[in-house]
């Protein structure tokens, strides 16, 4: 697919540049001939409309990648519904509206695969959006992300803005959150396996039944796909960004234990939620445009484990 929005000479604001995806986008954009703009949380609170508008009036980026969001794993989503709904609605509404006010040429909004109905046919195609009820553990986050897609579409429709959306699957990579209460499954399992190995423990415990399936994509692959879409895509419909493969949580735990070198047992804790049983996204749209991920899953997990700086007492 041809480049329709060349990045050469563009000033591109990566909102959320300290997050796992945002920092990967900054690394990816460093290979393009463009200027990357960032602003820290201490300088600009994205939940405050007046602050966002003032910063945008002053900075006037040509393009925006909206990777700022309140994110977390299944338990965090379930425990803090108000934070996940309110903060994400505010961040996206403020940035998208300010981008319109300041004539931003192109904006890319980032959603998540949890926007799709809980029982959507697999692999999930983009048109499955809003065809059925959501997964209850993360419906607050999902509703906020659906609103973001609709905002981008609405400004496109009403004001002719070139605002687009991408829906990444479950992501992993450098800079992930390893807090066991709020993290996603992959960093949690890496930490559990590592700590069990260090302590000489005989087992680790994973949440739920281990039966749900999840698809994973390395953040660097995701960033590459986002830059690809920024340059080449202009359309109403959001675009799935995935790896095209999923595995069960139990298989994931086995893979992590192999990578970490922990040989104990894997026990399940069915008192913790499973969440949605499967959310494999169709990769058809992006693949047809000519994009594919580069990272083999096992290699990506090994790299993340190697790069992660656990507290020194826990080093092997
Ligand atoms: O990654 P995760 O927290 O989020 O959990 P979701 C995925 C699966 O892993 C669930 C299981 O079935 C969990 O029960 N799991 C097993 C664990 N052990 C653990 C553990 O130690 N920690 C965690 N966190 N999970 C999130 C959404 O859903 O995915 C967000 O809540 C967002 O809104 C994100 O969409 C990508 O995949 O279930």
């Amino acid at each position: 697919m041809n480049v329709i929005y060349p990045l050469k000479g563009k000033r591109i604001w990566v909102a959320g540049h300290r997050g796992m995806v945002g920092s990967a986008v900054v690394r990816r954009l460093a290979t393009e001939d463009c200027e990357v703009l960032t602003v820290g949380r201490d300088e600009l609170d994205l939940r405050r409309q007046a602050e966002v508008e003032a910063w945008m009036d002053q900075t006037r980026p040509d393009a925006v990648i909206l990777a700022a969001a309140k994110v977390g794993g299944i338990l965090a989503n379930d425990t803090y519904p108000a934070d996940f709904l309110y903060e994400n609605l505010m961040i996206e509404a403020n940035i998208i509206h300010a981008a319109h006010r300041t004539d931003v040429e192109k904006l890319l909004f980032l959603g998540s695969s949890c926007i799709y109905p809980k029982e959507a046919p697999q692999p999930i195609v983009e048109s499955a959006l809003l065809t059925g009820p959501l997964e209850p553990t993360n419906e607050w986050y999902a509703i906020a992300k659906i609103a973001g897609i609709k905002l981008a579409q609405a400004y496109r429709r009403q004001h002719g803005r070139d605002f687009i959306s991408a829906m990444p699957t479950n992501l992993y990579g450098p800079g992930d959150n390893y807090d066991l209460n709020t993290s996603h499954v992959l960093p949690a399992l890496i930490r559990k396996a590592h700590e069990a190995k260090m302590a000489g423990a005989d087992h680790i415990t994973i949440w739920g039944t281990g039966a749900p399936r999840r698809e994973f994509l390395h953040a660097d692959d995701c960033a590459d796909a986002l830059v690809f879409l920024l340059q080449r895509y202009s359309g109403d419909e959001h675009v799935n960004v995935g790896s095209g493969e999923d595995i069960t949580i139990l298989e994931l735990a086995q893979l992590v234990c192999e990578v970490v070198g922990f040989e104990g047992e894997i026990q399940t804790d069915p008192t913790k939620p499973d969440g949605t049983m499967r959310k494999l996204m169709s990769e058809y749209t992006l693949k047809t445009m000519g994009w594919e991920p580069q990272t083999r899953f096992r290699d990506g997990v090994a790299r993340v484990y190697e790069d992660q700086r656990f507290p020194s007492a826990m080093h092997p």
Side-chain angles (χ1 to χ4, degrees), residues 70-77 84 141 177 182-184:
K70 165 125 186 119
V71 299
I74 190 165
L75 200 63
N77 269 264
F84 276 84
Y141 181 74
N177 169 18
T182 57
S183 74
H184 289 102

Side-chain angles (χ1 to χ4, degrees), residues 72-74 77 112 114 138 141 170 183-185 188-189 192 206-207 212 214 249 273-274 279:
I74 190 165
N77 269 264
S112 160
C114 69
N138 57 32
Y141 181 74
N170 287 35
S183 74
H184 289 102
V185 61
L189 296 190
K192 284 178 182 178
I206 63 172
W207 294 353
R214 291 291 184 274
I249 296 302
D274 268 341
K279 47 177 174 178

Side-chain angles (χ1 to χ4, degrees), residues 210-229:
R213 303 184 72 87
R214 291 291 184 274
E215 175 187 7
F216 296 94
L217 182 73
H218 195 283
D220 286 340
D221 280 329
C222 178
D224 190 58
L226 299 179
V227 171
F228 179 96
L229 288 170

Side-chain angles (χ1 to χ4, degrees), residues 104 188 197:
V104 162
K197 179 178 146 186

Side-chain angles (χ1 to χ4, degrees), residues 13-224:
W13 177 28
V14 180
H17 72 287
R18 293 215 175 101
M20 185 171 71
V21 184
S23 54
V25 170
V26 171
R27 287 195 296 278
R28 173 62 186 79
L29 285 177
T31 65
E32 299 289 331
D33 193 5
C34 64
E35 184 187 346
V36 177
L37 309 174
T38 59
V39 57
R41 200 175 280 231
D42 38 335
E43 278 174 78
L44 173 61
D45 185 341
L46 297 173
R47 296 166 302 183
R48 305 275 169 260
Q49 185 182 28
E51 285 188 34
V52 174
E53 291 191 350
W55 191 82
M56 288 285 275
D57 280 340
Q58 195 190 333
T59 317
R60 301 234 153 221
D62 297 310
V64 177
I65 296 188
L66 208 176
K70 165 125 186 119
V71 299
I74 190 165
L75 200 63
N77 269 264
D78 211 20
T79 314
Y80 309 108
D83 294 356
F84 276 84
L85 184 53
Y86 170 76
E87 294 193 24
N88 286 309
L89 283 174
M90 296 307 285
I91 292 169
E92 68 207 23
N94 290 340
I95 294 180
I96 291 172
H97 184 67
H100 162 59
R101 282 181 73 246
T102 53
D103 291 325
V104 162
E105 295 165 353
K106 186 129 197 173
L107 178 142
L108 171 59
F109 172 70
L110 245 86
S112 160
S113 57
C114 69
I115 58 161
Y116 291 115
K118 185 180 172 67
E119 305 292 349
Q122 315 275 323
I124 311 173
V125 291
E126 284 85 352
S127 57
L129 185 66
L130 293 173
T131 55
L134 298 165
E135 154 60 33
T137 52
N138 57 32
E139 66 176 321
W140 322 95
Y141 181 74
I143 293 278
K145 288 295 180 183
I146 293 170
I149 300 173
K150 289 295 163 192
L151 273 171
Q153 278 177 0
Y155 281 85
R156 205 178 169 85
R157 228 168 255 197
Q158 188 180 333
H159 299 292
R161 293 293 172 199
D162 193 359
F163 294 175
I164 59 173
S165 298
M167 294 305 116
T169 189
N170 287 35
L171 301 171
Y172 70 99
D176 211 339
N177 169 18
Y178 283 80
D179 178 321
L180 290 180
N181 290 315
T182 57
S183 74
H184 289 102
V185 61
L186 185 48
L189 296 190
I190 290 177
R191 178 167 178 176
K192 284 178 182 178
H194 179 80
E195 290 185 351
K197 179 178 146 186
M198 291 302 103
D202 63 357
H203 74 278
I204 59 165
T205 305
I206 63 172
W207 294 353
T209 60
R213 303 184 72 87
R214 291 291 184 274
E215 175 187 7
F216 296 94
L217 182 73
H218 195 283
D220 286 340
D221 280 329
C222 178
D224 190 58

